[in-house]
Amino acid sequence: MKSLTLIALAVYVVLAGSASNAAQATRTESCKVTTEQEIASLFDRWNQSLQTGDPHKVVANYAERSILLPTVSNKPRLTPAEREEYFHHFLEDRPSGKIDLRFVEIGCNSAVDAGLYTFTFAKTGAVVSGRYTYTYRWDGSKWLITSHHSSVMPEKK
């Protein structure tokens, strides 16, 4: 009886695996054709939204389900309201960013832009160098940020 149960279990596992593989084999995904230049331009779009001073316009760059791990806060921002609250304070000093070094990796409907950037704050005159990573997902009509990590450079120049 025990061996019959084991055989039945083995057959079930094989059939379930075959059904899963068949479903994956028939599922196709259309990949958005893109370039490194297009992905690099997404930072420019984000940076231009900073220039508006409107946190809502900055948050519009992020997917509904995304995470912001910001430079000047220990709190991860998981909702649009939390991201908007963060940018409301961040924008007070009128930041403007520029890319110093960039690495872009492109996948199917996803991309990563990582590197080094410098922010200049018009209100205070402060200049801050940092590291960044943006991950993007194509939603069928536009690229949206799915994760954004930023941190101040740990060593002074």
Side-chain angles (χ1 to χ4, degrees), residues 121-134:
F121 296 88
K123 186 174 179 181
T124 64
V127 176
V128 179
S129 295
R131 301 175 287 194
Y132 73 89
T133 303
Y134 292 91

Side-chain angles (χ1 to χ4, degrees), residues 46-63:
W46 179 85
N47 194 42
Q48 288 167 1
S49 70
L50 292 180
Q51 307 314 301
T52 69
D54 182 347
H56 185 72
K57 289 184 179 179
V58 179
V59 172
N61 292 290
Y62 292 80

